[in-house]
Amino acid sequence: MSTPSVVTLARVALRLHRGALVTWLAVVVLAAAGLVWLRSLGMPAEILGPPDCGLQPDCLPREPGVDPDLALHLQLSGATVPILLGTLPVAVAAWAGAALTGAEQERGTAAFAWTQSVSPRRWVAVKWSVAGAVVVAGVGLLVPLYVWARSVPYMAGTPLDDWTVQPLFSASGPATPALYLLAVTLGAYTGLLLRRSLAALAVSAGAMFGAVKGLPLLVPHLWPAERVFGWDRESVPGKAWVLSSGPVDGQGRTVSMDGCYSDDDSLVRGCVEAKGAEGFETVYHPASHAVPLHLAETALVLVITAALAFAALRLLRRRTA
């Protein structure tokens, strides 16, 4: 019996999971349409008040005349969309664990496919590649659409255009498609490992939730930060991602600010100097670090994904040796 081609195996994989494929395509189309609408909503929106104060309460008029389009666009683009983009990988991982490999291992259909002149590694590689390509292609379309939908005139030159907010940062870069690829790989590996769809669903979702919450905590430390030392706390450039700021002594040890908080900078300085401080140290990422941080985060996610894929192939080789 001749070995089926990769194209044939890809068609079989798509047919086996056509329900998930149709659902994913519907999600991508609806999300893309929603982002186009979001862009049209934010284009005419205006900040009512001095443009240099953003949305500070004392800068906006008190009467019920605040632009409702601005409030809705700000809520959706600044919170709802990035949170959805960041948490949907949990559902993708759960599907991959339960349906992509878990159910197949549980019912034994994988072993049947392997008897049809298809090696285990070939079948698994094709299935995972097809699922990963479809998922990444969809998210790869939504990420630039989201950036475009958020880049509207009222944000230009205001504090609202803040790249340092973690959900906005991750949702605006290549790490998001990489995260979805990790979700597919993690879920598929868990299903292969546990051989039970329900158990794989729960473990995959839990592990991916941990990854979604934990990986952003590492992002500020993936690229060398810059430091400013001195008594002038205004020397940090605008739109910088401040990681830490506080008084330090001559050995670089942190000095407590307890009892030194005041609106008068001279009083603050005198208080912390009495405790041994020699200046304020601020650790930050300037806006020019945005691209390196995006690339470093993406590289980290891809390395984890590759490690999981390698572990899966080793597991498959031991089981079928």
Side-chain angles (χ1 to χ4, degrees):
M1 183 180 294
S2 62
T3 302
S5 66
V6 173
V7 175
T8 300
L9 292 177
R11 289 175 179 172
V12 172
L14 289 173
R15 181 172 296 181
L16 284 174
H17 300 284
R18 58 184 175 273
L21 175 63
V22 171
T23 301
W24 177 246
L25 291 177
V27 168
V28 171
V29 170
L30 290 175
L35 290 173
V36 172
W37 169 79
L38 187 61
R39 167 80 177 189
S40 66
L41 179 70
M43 284 298 292
E46 295 180 351
I47 296 179
L48 305 180
D52 58 344
C53 67
L55 288 182
Q56 297 300 320
D58 56 348
C59 292
L60 292 176
R62 298 290 181 179
E63 65 272 9
V66 178
D67 190 344
D69 289 346
L70 183 147
L72 182 57
H73 184 273
L74 188 63
Q75 170 62 33
L76 293 177
S77 66
T80 305
V81 174
I83 288 175
L84 289 176
L85 280 175
T87 56
L88 192 56
V90 176
V92 173
W95 167 80
L100 190 62
T101 55
E104 188 176 72
Q105 295 289 317
E106 192 172 31
R107 294 194 299 262
T109 53
F112 174 76
W114 299 343
T115 65
Q116 309 302 307
S117 301
V118 181
S119 69
R121 279 177 292 175
R122 184 182 177 87
W123 174 241
V124 167
V126 170
K127 283 193 66 177
W128 291 11
S129 299
V130 170
V134 171
V135 170
V136 170
V139 181
L141 170 67
L142 295 181
V143 169
L145 270 179
Y146 166 66
V147 175
W148 174 71
R150 191 169 183 272
S151 303
V152 292
Y154 82 82
M155 284 192 176
T158 72
L160 302 175
D161 187 18
D162 187 0
W163 70 278
T164 67
V165 178
Q166 183 56 58
L168 300 180
F169 177 82
S170 294
S172 303
T176 295
L179 196 64
Y180 279 75
L181 184 61
L182 172 62
V184 172
T185 307
L186 173 63
Y189 172 61
T190 305
L192 187 65
L193 180 67
L194 300 180
R195 299 185 179 185
R196 294 291 183 270
S197 58
L198 187 59
L201 184 151
V203 173
S204 300
M208 196 63 212
F209 181 80
V212 166
K213 293 296 183 181
L215 285 173
L217 301 179
L218 302 176
V219 173
H221 310 289
L222 297 178
W223 193 260
E226 298 188 6
R227 286 173 168 79
V228 170
F229 180 78
W231 292 110
D232 183 10
R233 288 185 286 178
E234 303 297 327
S235 58
V236 178
K239 294 187 178 295
W241 185 348
V242 177
L243 306 182
S244 64
S245 181
V248 295
D249 60 16
Q251 285 72 44
R253 295 172 297 189
T254 302
V255 175
S256 174
M257 286 282 292
D258 290 345
C260 297
Y261 294 100
S262 173
D263 293 334
D264 190 333
D265 289 343
S266 62
L267 293 178
V268 173
R269 176 174 176 173
C271 180
V272 294
E273 276 187 321
K275 295 184 177 184
E278 295 190 2
F280 287 94
E281 183 182 58
T282 302
V283 181
Y284 68 97
H285 285 294
S288 60
H289 285 191
V291 173
L293 284 171
H294 274 302
L295 296 179
E297 182 183 13
T298 304
L300 174 63
V301 175
L302 291 178
V303 167
I304 297 173
T305 303
L308 284 174
F310 178 76
L313 293 177
R314 290 292 299 269
L315 174 64
L316 197 57
R317 177 179 295 178
R318 289 200 304 269
R319 286 184 179 175
T320 57

